[in-house]
Amino acid sequence: MPKKKKKEMESEIVQDVTAWHSLKTSDVFKQLDSSVEGLSNNDVVIRLEKYGPNKITITERFKVLKMILEQFTNFLVILLIIAGTISLVLGLVGAGDDAGTSEIIDAIAIFTIVIINAIIGFVQDYRSNQALEKLKEYFEQDVVVLRDGKETVIHSADLVPGDIVRLEVGEKIPADCRLLEVNSFKVDEAALTGESSSVTKNLDIVPEEARIHDRKNMIYSGTTCVYGRGEAIVANTGMRTEMGRIAELTQVKEELTPLQLALDKLGKVLGVIILVLCGIVMGIDWLILGESFLESFETAVALAISAVPEGLPAAIVITLAIGVSKMAKRNTIVSKLPAVETLGSVDYICSDKTGTLTRNEMTVKEIWTIDGLYAVGGSGYLLDGDFSQDEKKVNPMEVPTLKSVLQTSYHCNNSAVIREGDRINIKGDPTEAALLVAAEKAGFSKELLLKKEHEIFFDSDRKRMTTIHDDNGKKYAFMKGSPPVVLTRCNSAMKKGKETKMTKALEQEIMKSNLGLAEKALRVLAVAYRELPKDYDKTKDDEIEDDMIFLGLTGMIDPARPEVKDAIEECRMAGITTVMITGDQEPTAVAVAKEIGIIKTDEHLVISGEKFALMTNEELNEQIEKIKVYSRMSPKDKYRVVETLQDLDHVVAVTGDGVNDAPALKKADIGVAMGITGTDVSKEVAAMVITDDAFNTIVSAVEEGRNIFENMKKFIRYLLSCNFDEIFAVLIIYAAFQELPFLPLQILFLNLLTDALPALSLSFDPYDPELMKRPPRGKKSSFVRDMYAFASFAGVIALIGSLGMFLVGYLGVGDRVIANWASTNNLTLTHEQLYEAKVAYSQTLAFVATLSFELWFVFIARNDNATSFLKSHPFKNKYLIGAVVLSWILLIGVVYIPPFQAVFTGFKPADGLAYYLISLEDWAYIIGFTLGLCILFEIFRYALRTERMAGFAKMVGMH
């Protein structure tokens, strides 16, 4: 290796494209201008200035002010702000009179709703942006480096390309490095690649085109040393590392959810409708009837307020918040409210294997000896599970050969399983932990552990490990390793507890059994032992490891979660496709996928990361919906899968637990992190966290998401119908009679009452099991567009009620009723006062009729056009019943309680005189008329469900 040249770097060191894994060690030193003695302090200063600190940087740091302003960019919110501003201005202009007071109250109500909505949205966005901060913290640590030939401890942020680092068990790799020396060096790369097993590192040069999983001479930032020691030279730092690239992918702008897109369109449609109608009203009032501009403008504003669904944004936020509370009881924590609704739209789940579909706990499932094959029960690091042979339970401590296999596995082991209550943590290699747990299931414990006095370490060349233990003066060597390698060290084998000579036939039988276990996607290790002379020489490894007695084969796998298979089948019935994306090797991935039902037919494709990287976008678009398993995938590959599915209009959920999953979690329509095994980074970037790490909890969350979306459709359908009712009434009655059918405060009362009580109570409609038997709605399907026909027809039907009752007062009995009322109260009214009283009476009738219709109609609006009123169990929602009853009480209160009468009826008699009360005859007209109209609407919907009317129903959007 060349010595360090004492000169400053003059040329740019290109790190992003250099294939460090394919270079000779001498060339690595040359390109990095470093040496075995490390860098000088002067070199470090220059390189820190050139490359910056070894930290994750955020390309666009989130700004609080920008995040606040973004909460007011939704078109519906803008519409509310405009309406509120105009109401406030008009209220201040007319301060002192009833109209001015109502305008100010309306403005306050609107702005309160807008501010609450903005606060909730800001909190969601702020929490989402914390993900990058967590990713930065993931790297911070102290590290041992060699500088000027001396060991020193520095902060990882001060590392620069060319530094020499020294690493031991338990330490996190601080940067992307090329290995220089290894001593049984193993690294857990699950955080980067998702691979469940630790990777044994070596110094062998690999081809330039090799993928991350195959670069055995490289170690990467964020991964962890789990065995042995190593020395390496830093190649890339900060954002140039593989983890840095993950951070770049994580800094992706979140796209709007289907609900947000639909509501944005709704806001624009309502905005256009309002502007057109306001223009028509102002034109009639100002230009044709000759009213002043201000009066015409006030009239137009009254129409606008009746058209704007003030409570819709708040109702949606509250409904989603209710959903969050329900989901928390089902082991799901939602950090982004829109995720609740998005879950109901999901038609693709891209799941990580390790820790999500599987337990991320290597488990011994089978043990083969010459005496036969033994099955090991249980899963993960729990001690539950029995041993059996041919489905008959056996006690392993009473089967000599099986006991010896487990004894060797227990002793030739450097791992530890730490159990603290319900939490289980392992220290060391997961494979060794699996062997340790298998032995503990049989009854081995620390009390039976023999004293270890020597160890011959595992490395990639030897492919075996041996430990020597003392048993009351007797010395025993216990070995485990690759079956072919261990077999070459054995001259005999154990059969029924006795030693038998190794023969060619026996060797073939062992290798055939090894192949059989491997074909089940089990990771196979062979174990052997021997008794050593008391005076054995510790320096002679070959002599110690010679003449071993073969004991058996252990087959282990990261097992599938037991509940996953049923959950995937339930997803399939709900029209949701589940695919596996993993960093593991293809045989392991395929075996798990077949076991849990992801792969069911030969048409389901499996693709490796190598082949995936070579696919063009056109090829991927054509094949992606057939691919069910992706193996050996990098974070960038996962991101591309999600992006491609989204381009094909799929709504994609991604599950994961590692840092490597973060880009795909952020890119997905909804990212789902695991609460127990998940890293802080994955939890922060995800829209929701599954607290029990169970895949079936995701299915429960989808159920809840679909139910919430259905309930949101119900109250949006209801609110649109109510708003269209009021729009039509104001437009038609004003155009015909130049009188508003409702007072400004009556309009406010109508909107706030229907928005607050009946609409919100629809959020509590019980879950319909049929929802999970329907396919998910498409990304391009606009549920709001389908509601326009419903709301328009409902508005026309309701108009008949409000217009009819207004006409009853205005052209019918109004003059007689007012004259009788004046006579009863000994009032002498002028012609103008009689007219004003008649208009007030007509407005009160229209107001009560409109609200009555809306309180009946809520039971119809909660059903889609395919379901009849009677079959929908209309009285199953106790909250809805309570809301309607309370609404009736409030309506009666504002009509009959004197302080409210002055505000809500429009009558202005002399002090001390009685107000006009709605009579029983009036109520009979109102209830009969509005109930009859609701029945008429339901009859019309029934007709549309018939085969003869199906075409028409589809044409008008009420199918």
Side-chain angles (χ1 to χ4, degrees):
M1 297 180 188
K3 290 287 181 181
K4 176 79 177 75
K5 298 178 182 179
K6 300 295 182 180
K7 68 173 185 177
E8 294 182 0
M9 295 179 297
E10 298 174 352
S11 60
E12 183 82 15
I13 299 179
V14 182
Q15 299 178 41
D16 291 337
V17 296
T18 306
W20 300 106
H21 52 277
S22 66
L23 301 178
K24 295 179 180 178
T25 305
S26 57
D27 291 334
V28 172
F29 275 100
K30 185 176 181 181
Q31 287 212 37
L32 290 170
D33 198 13
S34 185
S35 75
V36 292
E37 296 177 355
L39 300 173
S40 67
N41 289 328
N42 184 50
D43 285 334
V44 170
V45 171
I46 296 171
R47 297 187 190 210
L48 270 176
E49 185 177 344
K50 183 172 184 178
Y51 297 109
N54 180 34
K55 288 183 175 182
I56 295 298
T57 57
I58 302 174
T59 55
E60 183 181 351
R61 184 172 293 277
F62 63 96
K63 299 178 178 66
V64 172
L65 180 60
K66 181 181 177 183
M67 291 168 63
I68 292 173
L69 293 176
E70 284 178 348
Q71 307 310 315
F72 302 97
T73 57
N74 178 273
F75 200 88
L76 188 57
V77 173
I78 293 172
L79 204 60
L80 289 174
I81 293 172
I82 293 171
T85 303
I86 294 173
S87 292
L88 182 61
V89 171
L90 291 177
L92 294 174
V93 170
D97 59 26
D98 291 342
T101 302
S102 69
E103 299 285 7
I104 291 174
I105 294 173
D106 205 354
I108 291 171
I110 291 173
F111 285 133
T112 300
I113 289 167
V114 169
I115 290 170
I116 291 172
N117 196 58
I119 290 172
I120 294 172
F122 170 77
V123 171
Q124 295 169 38
D125 289 348
Y126 187 85
R127 291 185 64 182
S128 174
N129 277 282
Q130 294 301 304
L132 291 175
E133 299 298 327
K134 289 288 183 183
L135 192 57
K136 288 173 63 180
E137 293 171 9
Y138 191 78
F139 293 92
E140 295 184 1
Q141 64 186 58
D142 289 333
V143 59
V144 177
V145 299
L146 197 64
R147 287 183 176 171
D148 288 325
K150 297 178 181 178
E151 272 193 7
T152 184
V153 178
I154 65 168
H155 193 273
S156 58
D158 297 326
L159 277 177
V160 294
D163 262 326
I164 307 296
V165 295
R166 290 178 173 172
L167 300 159
E168 294 185 352
V169 174
E171 294 180 345
K172 199 171 289 181
I173 310 302
D176 289 1
C177 309
R178 170 67 183 270
L179 285 165
L180 303 175
E181 295 179 12
V182 291
N183 187 350
S184 305
F185 195 62
K186 292 185 181 181
V187 176
D188 180 359
E189 294 187 336
L192 178 64
T193 65
E195 188 163 2
S196 55
S197 301
S198 58
V199 179
T200 302
K201 294 295 182 176
N202 57 45
L203 306 182
D204 298 341
I205 296 173
V206 295
E208 183 175 341
E209 63 275 10
R211 294 171 65 80
I212 290 177
H213 309 75
D214 303 316
R215 299 173 190 172
K216 298 294 194 281
N217 59 6
M218 295 288 295
I219 51 177
Y220 293 99
S221 177
T223 60
T224 306
C225 171
V226 295
Y227 194 88
R229 296 182 297 276
E231 184 174 292
I233 182 169
V234 175
N236 290 323
T237 58
M239 295 300 286
R240 295 180 178 85
T241 63
E242 292 297 329
M243 283 293 183
R245 293 190 177 96
I246 288 178
E248 279 188 310
L249 291 174
T250 304
Q251 298 180 59
V252 61
K253 183 177 175 60
E254 293 184 9
E255 298 181 3
L256 295 177
T257 67
L259 175 66
Q260 290 169 324
L261 290 170
L263 292 178
D264 198 51
K265 289 180 182 177
L266 172 62
K268 291 174 182 176
V269 169
L270 286 178
V272 171
I273 292 173
I274 291 167
L275 290 175
V276 170
L277 294 182
C278 288
I280 293 172
V281 169
M282 275 198 70
I284 294 172
D285 206 30
W286 183 34
L287 299 176
I288 297 176
L289 299 178
E291 297 287 346
S292 69
F293 177 82
L294 183 58
E295 289 180 346
S296 302
F297 187 66
E298 287 179 343
T299 303
V301 168
L303 174 63
I305 292 172
S306 71
V308 175
E310 292 100 328
L312 182 56
I316 289 171
V317 168
I318 292 170
T319 302
L320 294 175
I322 292 169
V324 168
S325 177
K326 287 181 179 179
M327 294 172 83
K329 296 175 183 177
R330 303 180 76 172
N331 301 317
T332 304
I333 298 173
V334 178
S335 60
K336 300 172 187 175
L337 282 183
V340 178
E341 175 272 332
T342 307
L343 268 171
S345 311
V346 166
D347 64 345
Y348 249 88
I349 299 178
C350 297
S351 178
D352 182 35
K353 178 185 76 69
T354 307
T356 308
L357 297 174
T358 65
R359 297 178 60 94
N360 194 22
E361 297 176 351
M362 290 294 287
T363 306
V364 175
K365 301 302 290 182
E366 294 186 0
I367 296 175
W368 182 89
T369 71
I370 298 176
D371 301 330
L373 182 66
Y374 298 89
V376 184
S379 183
Y381 301 135
L382 297 174
L383 296 180
D384 303 328
D386 297 321
F387 292 76
S388 61
Q389 185 177 38
D390 298 326
E391 299 184 355
K392 293 180 181 178
K393 185 177 177 181
V394 298
N395 182 350
M397 301 300 272
E398 296 176 356
V399 182
T401 309
L402 179 57
K403 179 183 178 181
S404 295
V405 169
L406 294 166
Q407 182 185 35
T408 300
S409 301
Y410 193 67
H411 285 87
C412 189
N413 203 309
N414 288 318
S415 68
V417 179
I418 304 163
R419 297 180 174 87
E420 298 174 350
D422 293 334
R423 295 189 65 85
I424 301 176
N425 296 305
I426 67 163
K427 183 178 180 181
D429 187 83
T431 300
E432 290 195 330
L435 293 170
L436 189 71
V437 170
E440 289 179 342
K441 287 178 183 178
F444 283 93
S445 61
K446 291 181 179 179
E447 290 74 23
L448 300 177
L449 185 63
L450 304 179
K451 180 182 178 182
K452 183 166 76 171
E453 60 180 38
H454 183 54
E455 178 175 344
I456 306 173
F457 290 100
F458 177 96
D459 65 37
S460 57
D461 292 329
R462 289 167 27 81
K463 295 183 179 179
R464 63 183 184 272
M465 165 189 175
T466 303
T467 57
I468 293 88
H469 298 259
D470 179 85
D471 182 12
N472 295 319
K474 292 184 177 181
K475 310 295 182 180
Y476 291 97
F478 298 109
M479 175 189 289
K480 72 169 184 288
S482 167
V485 172
V486 171
L487 201 53
T488 61
R489 314 299 299 186
C490 298
N491 292 326
S492 59
M494 183 177 286
K495 184 175 183 179
K496 297 187 183 300
K498 296 182 179 179
E499 187 176 346
T500 185
K501 185 176 181 180
M502 181 67 68
T503 63
K504 281 287 183 184
L506 188 53
E507 285 183 6
Q508 291 174 355
E509 182 184 353
I510 292 170
M511 292 310 297
K512 183 179 179 181
S513 300
N514 172 52
L515 181 61
L517 293 176
E519 286 175 346
K520 298 176 185 178
L522 298 174
R523 185 179 185 192
V524 186
L525 288 177
V527 291
Y529 93 110
R530 65 167 292 193
E531 184 176 349
L532 294 171
K534 293 181 180 179
D535 58 349
Y536 75 95
D537 188 344
K538 292 182 181 180
T539 64
K540 296 182 178 180
D541 293 350
D542 274 346
E543 289 184 9
I544 294 173
E545 295 182 320
D546 200 19
D547 202 22
M548 302 292 284
I549 302 170
F550 180 85
L551 295 173
L553 305 170
T554 60
M556 64 198 79
I557 195 171
D558 180 12
R561 292 179 174 274
E563 73 281 355
V564 166
K565 187 172 184 178
D566 290 341
I568 288 174
E569 184 57 33
E570 190 172 351
C571 285
R572 184 176 285 110
M573 291 176 62
I576 302 169
T577 302
T578 306
V579 299
M580 178 195 294
I581 305 178
T582 179
D584 262 350
Q585 298 188 39
E586 187 172 306
T588 305
V590 170
V592 174
K594 286 182 177 178
E595 179 185 350
I596 61 181
I598 287 180
I599 294 178
K600 282 204 159 188
T601 70
D602 294 337
E603 294 179 1
H604 292 165
L605 302 181
V606 178
I607 191 168
S608 65
E610 291 81 357
K611 293 179 181 177
F612 180 84
L614 298 175
M615 292 181 77
T616 64
N617 290 336
E618 291 75 17
E619 290 172 336
L620 185 56
N621 286 338
E622 185 178 334
Q623 295 289 323
I624 195 165
E625 291 178 339
K626 298 177 184 177
I627 302 172
K628 301 300 178 185
V629 175
Y630 302 82
S631 66
R632 307 293 275 180
M633 297 286 277
S634 69
K636 191 173 182 180
D637 294 334
K638 294 181 183 181
Y639 186 93
R640 187 184 174 201
V641 170
V642 175
E643 190 174 44
T644 304
L645 288 170
Q646 288 175 330
D647 289 343
L648 295 174
D649 295 325
H650 291 291
V651 179
V652 184
V654 171
T655 71
D657 58 357
V659 176
N660 62 309
D661 298 315
L665 287 171
K666 186 74 178 286
K667 175 63 178 172
D669 294 286
I670 178 164
V672 184
M674 301 296 109
I676 298 173
T677 59
T679 60
D680 286 344
V681 177
S682 66
K683 292 175 189 176
E684 287 291 340
V685 81
M688 55 186 282
V689 178
I690 304 298
T691 58
D692 60 358
D693 284 15
F695 186 84
N696 66 325
T697 302
I698 299 171
V699 181
S700 299
V702 170
E703 289 177 0
E704 195 62 53
R706 289 194 177 187
N707 188 51
I708 288 166
F709 177 73
E710 282 300 308
N711 290 346
M712 286 172 60
K713 276 171 55 178
K714 293 172 186 177
F715 73 67
I716 293 173
R717 184 191 300 129
Y718 174 62
L719 289 178
L720 281 180
S721 300
C722 293
N723 279 100
F724 277 35
D725 164 14
E726 295 158 26
I727 291 171
F728 293 161
V730 171
L731 182 63
I732 299 301
I733 292 174
Y734 187 79
F737 306 105
Q738 291 78 57
E739 293 290 350
L740 290 171
F742 315 113
L743 295 171
L745 273 177
Q746 288 175 339
I747 293 174
L748 178 62
F749 187 83
L750 282 168
N751 284 352
L752 292 183
L753 190 66
T754 53
D755 289 359
L757 294 176
L760 276 180
S761 65
L762 289 172
S763 305
F764 293 93
D765 249 21
Y767 172 71
D768 180 3
E770 293 296 315
L771 288 176
M772 285 301 283
K773 296 178 182 178
R774 303 175 191 171
R777 69 186 190 277
K779 183 179 281 189
K780 288 187 176 180
S781 67
S782 174
F783 70 91
V784 174
R785 183 182 63 239
D786 296 338
M787 291 179 186
Y788 289 143
F790 180 97
S792 299
F793 187 70
V796 171
I797 294 291
L799 171 64
I800 297 172
S802 52
L803 176 59
M805 293 312 300
F806 184 86
L807 292 177
V808 166
Y810 194 78
L811 298 179
V813 300
D815 290 323
R816 176 173 55 81
V817 169
I818 297 302
N820 292 338
W821 171 74
S823 176
T824 302
N825 289 279
N826 297 317
L827 291 174
T828 301
L829 301 178
T830 64
H831 180 74
E832 184 178 341
Q833 288 175 320
L834 280 171
Y835 179 79
E836 287 180 357
K838 182 179 73 169
V839 170
Y841 171 61
S842 304
Q843 288 173 329
T844 303
L845 288 178
F847 165 63
V848 175
T850 299
L851 192 47
S852 298
F853 177 85
E854 291 174 356
L855 292 179
W856 304 131
F857 188 74
V858 68
F859 292 101
I860 295 176
R862 67 185 288 269
N863 311 312
D864 58 28
N865 294 312
T867 309
S868 71
F869 170 78
L870 295 176
K871 289 184 179 179
S872 67
H873 306 290
F875 306 114
K876 196 173 182 180
N877 184 345
K878 60 183 179 181
Y879 297 101
L880 179 59
I881 302 298
V884 170
V885 170
L886 180 57
S887 297
W888 276 111
I889 292 171
L890 292 173
L891 172 59
I892 293 169
V894 300
V895 171
Y896 288 106
I897 298 174
F900 297 111
Q901 284 178 317
V903 178
F904 287 99
T905 64
F907 289 102
K908 303 173 184 176
D911 290 343
L913 296 176
Y915 291 89
Y916 175 76
L917 301 179
I918 299 291
S919 67
L920 290 177
E921 184 181 356
D922 295 330
W923 277 112
Y925 280 122
I926 290 169
I927 291 175
F929 205 17
T930 54
L931 262 178
L933 289 170
C934 286
I935 293 171
L936 176 64
F937 185 89
E938 189 62 19
I939 291 171
F940 179 72
R941 289 211 302 173
Y942 174 78
L944 290 179
R945 288 194 291 272
T946 62
E947 189 174 342
R948 182 176 295 179
M949 295 287 285
F952 175 76
K954 189 171 185 179
M955 181 179 70
V956 298
M958 291 187 66
H959 53 288

